[in-house]
Each structure stands twice: as structure tokens, then as C-alpha cells.
Amino acid sequence: MNIGFIGAGHMGSAMIEGLLKAKIVAPENLFVKGGSSGTAEALQEKLGFQLINDYEPLKKCQVIFIATGAKIVLDILKQAAPSMEKDTILISVATGHTVKEAQTVLGDEIHVVHAIPNTPVSVNAGMIGAAFASDMPKETKNEAMRVLESLGKVEEVNENLLGTFGTVAGCSPAFVDIFMEALADGAVSEGLPRTLSYEIIAQMMLGSAQLALETKKHPGELKDGVTSPGGSTIKGVTALEKNGFRYAVIDAVKQANS
Ligand SMILES: NC(=O)c1ccc[n+]([C@@H]2O[C@H](COP(=O)([O-])OP(=O)(O)OC[C@H]3O[C@@H](n4cnc5c(N)ncnc54)[C@H](OP(=O)(O)O)[C@@H]3O)[C@@H](O)[C@H]2O)c1
């Protein structure tokens, strides 16, 4: 299979890395068109895919991703449309447009998927929300799912939920990164080395997430299991509540989604 990419910025490069790691496409079958800043060229030197300068080579691709800024995505699709063969799957990860708008630009012969991924796709541990054109044939949808699932877990959602899905799955890695950094600051101030602190914290978060996914227990129940009466954990939990931790998190989601 040949895969095409328009845009290799933060999200584009994370997906390109994930697709190559998953070996769903070989570097010689991956055609990437970047913008003008040289980001795609630098990535090409590292990953060895086919760098393209115009949309023409996309004719060879059965699946094309677009990962450009939201404001320009429909204009770029208009320019790229003549280079898309019938039955191409177009996966847009750009925000700010609908499946219908992309479909209007591309015509009925192209199958449009609107997906919102997050940066862990680069290590094939992404959380991706996907909305499909309503008339997409089953085999085409399965093929799009196969490609997306190589990057992580995929949930099909109604397109009007993609925005909030993107906030929770796409913005939260930054919230979690700040939480990890703050935990490490606390650990370092109590005497643990910095590098060791980051390693402990990342593994702890991975384990906590795995426990939640595998047991399907309510987060409150998992928390109760760690807090023994009069123990140190409940003292920490009390400090978090006193400092408005829950409200800070809820407000972060609300602000990011506004
Ligand atoms: N970052 C995330 O976590 C995330 C999550 C979900 C969805 N998204 C969505 O994904 C899209 C991209 O986000 P991003 O964070 O990756 O932004 P970004 O880092 O700014 O990347 C956008 C890329 O598009 C390239 N570009 C512009 N015009 C182009 C053209 N004509 N042909 C090919 N490439 C072109 C730019 O290249 P040059 O800079 O070289 O000009 C840039 O590298 C956005 O719509 C965003 O909302 C992002």
C-alpha cells in the first residue's frame, strides 16, 4: 500500500513515525509533502520516506492523510483534489472543518474520514476519534480503520463530538506532562534524582492507566484502594483537594474546549 501525507508538522510527523514503526507502510511507499519551513526535509533525513514537492505523486496513494493548519485545509484539499484517484481514502486530522465540507471539495469518488489523534500515535499508543462519511462502503471503512488502528486505539464517534474528544485525548497529554513535571519537582525537592524521578513517574502513570483499562474499575475505587486510614496517600489527596486540583483540571478542559 502507498500512503500519502500533506503536512508534516507536530501531528503529521507523530503519525508518520507511528505508521513506519507499525510497518504498515515502508519508507519507499510513503509520500510526504511538507510546507515551506524545511520541517519535512529534516524529518525525511531521519526517516527516509519519499519527499514530494507537489501533489501529483499522491495519485499513487490509496490512503492520504492531511495534517495542516485548520484554516488552510480546505484550500489545500482543493489544490490536491485533481491528484486523488477514485476511491482514495482521505483522512483529515485537521480541526475546523466537517466531513461534508471536505467531501464537497473532493467530490463523491473520494472517501473522507475526519480523525482527531493525539501525539502518542508516534509510539503506536494513540487515542484516535474518527468520524466517517455516512455512505462509506464497509470494506473502505475497514481499510481506514486498519491504518488508523496501527497508531493506537480508535473510537468511532459522531462528528459533533470530535472537538471535545480532541480536547480530552489531544490536549490532555500536555496537562499530564505538566502533572509529571510537577510530581518530579516534588520528588526532587524531597531528594530523588531528577532523571530517576521522571522514569518512576512515567512508569507509574503507564501502570495506573493499564490498571484502569484492564480492571475497568471506577477511578474513585482505584484511589480508595491506595488510601489507607490515616496514611500518607490520603494526606496527599487532602492537600490536592485543598489546592483545588479537581477544579483546576475541569477548568483546563473547559478552557481548552472553548
Ligand atoms: N498537535 C496536536 O496534538 C493535534 C491533535 C489533533 C489534531 N491536530 C490538528 O492537526 C493539524 C496540524 O496540527 P500541528 O500541531 O501538526 O500543526 P503544525 O505543527 O503547524 O503543522 C502543520 C504543518 O502543515 C504544513 N503545511 C502548511 N501548508 C502546507 C502545504 N501547502 N503542503 C504541505 N504541508 C503544508 C506546515 O509546514 P511548514 O511549517 O513547513 O510550512 C506544518 O508543518 C491542525 O489542524 C490541528 O488542529 C493537532
Side-chain angles (χ1 to χ4, degrees):
M1 183 205 290
N2 289 334
I3 295 183
F5 244 92
I6 306 172
H10 291 104
M11 185 41 68
S13 58
M15 298 187 89
I16 288 168
E17 281 197 46
L19 291 170
L20 289 172
K21 257 186 211 147
K23 295 192 189 317
I24 195 149
V25 64
E28 57 272 26
N29 299 114
L30 182 61
F31 298 81
V32 180
K33 182 184 179 311
S36 52
S37 70
T39 314
E41 284 76 0
L43 194 68
Q44 194 272 340
E45 273 182 30
K46 191 173 131 198
L47 300 176
F49 49 70
Q50 309 272 347
L51 193 64
I52 58 175
N53 297 317
D54 55 50
Y55 302 110
E56 180 74 13
L58 296 177
K59 283 193 169 147
K60 294 181 245 178
C61 301
Q62 292 78 43
V63 176
I64 298 171
F65 284 88
I66 182 159
T68 63
K71 285 187 185 142
I72 55 173
V73 64
L74 291 177
D75 278 346
I76 293 181
L77 284 181
K78 211 173 282 177
Q79 293 168 41
S83 303
M84 293 184 199
E85 296 289 352
K86 183 176 183 297
D87 286 331
T88 298
I89 298 172
L90 184 280
I91 304 178
S92 172
V93 302
T95 48
H97 74 87
T98 61
V99 166
K100 204 169 174 194
E101 282 168 336
Q103 201 76 68
T104 304
V105 169
L106 297 170
D108 292 342
E109 293 188 337
I110 306 298
H111 304 288
V112 176
V113 183
H114 196 184
I116 299 295
N118 60 4
T119 47
V121 290
S122 67
V123 290
N124 311 95
M127 181 67 246
I128 303 165
F132 298 84
S134 53
D135 58 350
M136 188 177 288
K138 197 162 181 281
E139 320 79 70
T140 311
K141 192 169 166 179
N142 288 346
E143 184 62 356
M145 277 300 248
R146 191 177 74 85
V147 173
L148 286 172
E149 280 173 344
S150 74
L151 296 169
K153 190 168 161 39
V154 184
E155 284 286 346
E156 183 176 354
V157 289
N158 196 306
E159 195 171 19
N160 62 14
L161 295 178
L162 269 189
T164 309
F165 189 106
T167 301
V168 177
C171 301
S172 300
F175 307 161
V176 170
D177 290 339
I178 291 171
F179 179 59
M180 288 204 284
E181 196 184 5
L183 269 181
D185 285 345
V188 170
S189 76
E190 293 297 309
L192 267 192
R194 174 69 64 179
T195 311
L196 179 63
S197 302
Y198 282 134
E199 213 162 296
I200 295 169
I201 291 161
Q203 178 58 37
M204 171 279 296
M205 294 192 83
L206 191 65
S208 301
Q210 209 165 324
L211 196 63
L213 283 171
E214 282 184 21
T215 62
K216 302 212 184 312
K217 281 186 183 169
H218 186 283
E221 191 182 348
L222 290 169
K223 182 263 296 169
D224 287 357
V226 191
T227 45
S228 45
S232 49
T233 309
I234 194 65
K235 287 180 185 153
V237 169
T238 308
L240 283 177
E241 297 293 3
K242 184 177 150 205
N243 290 295
F245 183 68
R246 276 176 206 260
Y247 179 75
V249 174
I250 293 167
D251 200 34
V253 174
K254 274 182 169 297
Q255 297 302 327
N257 208 36
S258 61

